[in-house]
Amino acid sequence: MSKNTTNTTSRPPLTKDLKSEDFRKYYFLKEELKDFCKNEGLKVNGSKNQLEERIIYYLDTGKSLDDSRHVENKNNYPKSKSNKVTTSKEIRLDSILGENFKCSEDKREFFEKEIGKGFKFKVQFQKWLKANPNKTYQDAIKAYYKIQNSNEKTAIDKQFQYNQYIRDFFKDNDDKTLEDAIKCWNYKKSLKGHNRYENSDLDALN
């Protein structure tokens, strides 16, 4: 039986000459993204998704996404006379969550006071908070308990593809070692296309 030759194109190097559509097709480690940003004078902070967004914009325009946003904000919004920080004492149950919710320390203190010291800003709850800017903190507390009692597993985000891959690998190969799994992962991420585990990835062990 011939091997499946789909998606066997070698991964291109990450340089400023790489087209953004090709960049999207391959998996790059966060450290590789940070090294690229550093070499090109771009910001290196943020999540893997933010780094990817920054690089795609740079590959398309040759400009810094952060600089462009700064200019846009400067042109469209007047400077605020004061940046008042809301403290936990000012947050009430009927307060509105607001746009671009940030998991700051004052908000953590509020939720700990209402829910208990076991409270944590888990991924699923953070997503709910960002998706419901018009809800109140009381609504958020109800949602927190609902999520806690749910049996649904939190989906693994794109930046955690490695964890998902290793988990799926061992579902089908409990007789294999972690070294085998990593070898297959390294093989998989060098291919064009998705990075989900497939049985054909075991070709890397031959």
Side-chain angles (χ1 to χ4, degrees):
M1 183 182 294
S2 62
K3 293 182 180 178
N4 184 357
T5 57
T6 304
N7 295 339
T8 55
T9 305
S10 297
R11 190 185 72 167
L14 178 52
T15 68
K16 64 181 179 181
D17 297 320
L18 183 65
K19 294 182 178 179
S20 64
E21 56 264 33
D22 292 328
F23 171 78
R24 297 171 188 267
K25 296 175 183 177
Y26 294 92
Y27 181 92
F28 293 91
L29 295 172
K30 185 175 182 179
E31 287 305 313
E32 292 177 292
L33 303 181
K34 290 174 70 174
D35 286 343
F36 176 85
C37 289
K38 183 178 180 180
N39 292 335
E40 297 301 322
L42 306 175
K43 289 185 178 181
V44 299
N45 62 309
S47 67
K48 190 168 189 286
N49 286 341
Q50 290 172 319
L51 290 170
E52 289 173 339
E53 181 185 8
R54 197 171 290 149
I55 290 172
I56 289 170
Y57 184 86
Y58 180 76
L59 294 177
D60 284 338
T61 67
K63 299 178 181 178
S64 166
L65 175 61
D66 300 281
D67 290 345
S68 299
R69 285 175 173 169
H70 176 72
V71 171
E72 182 179 345
N73 290 336
K74 185 176 180 181
N75 291 337
N76 294 328
Y77 299 99
K79 289 184 178 180
S80 174
K81 292 183 179 179
S82 64
N83 293 320
K84 186 178 180 182
V85 178
T86 301
T87 66
S88 59
K89 293 181 181 179
E90 296 172 319
I91 300 174
R92 302 188 307 272
L93 288 172
D94 60 352
S95 296
I96 301 299
L97 296 173
E99 296 286 347
N100 302 316
F101 187 94
K102 296 187 182 299
C103 303
S104 55
E105 190 59 34
D106 59 309
K107 292 166 185 174
R108 180 187 300 279
E109 289 176 2
F110 174 83
F111 283 119
E112 283 185 347
K113 182 181 70 175
E114 297 295 331
I115 294 172
K117 288 295 183 181
F119 168 79
K120 291 183 180 179
F121 276 121
K122 293 187 177 181
V123 173
Q124 206 170 352
F125 184 53
Q126 288 186 44
K127 289 182 176 180
W128 187 94
L129 292 167
K130 292 180 184 296
N132 294 277
N134 295 323
K135 298 288 188 179
T136 66
Y137 279 81
Q138 183 164 283
D139 294 326
I141 292 171
K142 291 178 182 177
Y144 178 86
Y145 285 121
K146 185 176 180 180
I147 292 170
Q148 285 292 94
N149 294 329
S150 173
N151 291 324
E152 295 177 3
K153 289 185 177 179
T154 302
I156 296 182
D157 287 335
K158 184 179 179 181
Q159 60 264 42
F160 303 121
Q161 288 181 48
Y162 169 81
N163 294 343
Q164 182 69 67
Y165 185 93
I166 299 300
R167 179 189 297 175
D168 294 341
F169 178 91
F170 282 117
K171 280 184 181 178
D172 286 355
N173 304 282
D174 57 3
D175 60 325
K176 296 291 191 295
T177 66
L178 179 59
E179 183 180 356
D180 292 332
I182 294 175
K183 186 178 293 185
C184 289
W185 163 251
N186 288 331
Y187 165 75
K188 187 70 172 188
K189 71 178 183 178
S190 70
L191 304 181
K192 187 176 182 180
H194 69 76
N195 295 297
R196 297 184 297 275
Y197 170 75
E198 295 175 308
N199 187 257
S200 59
D201 297 346
L202 296 176
D203 289 345
L205 302 179
N206 295 333

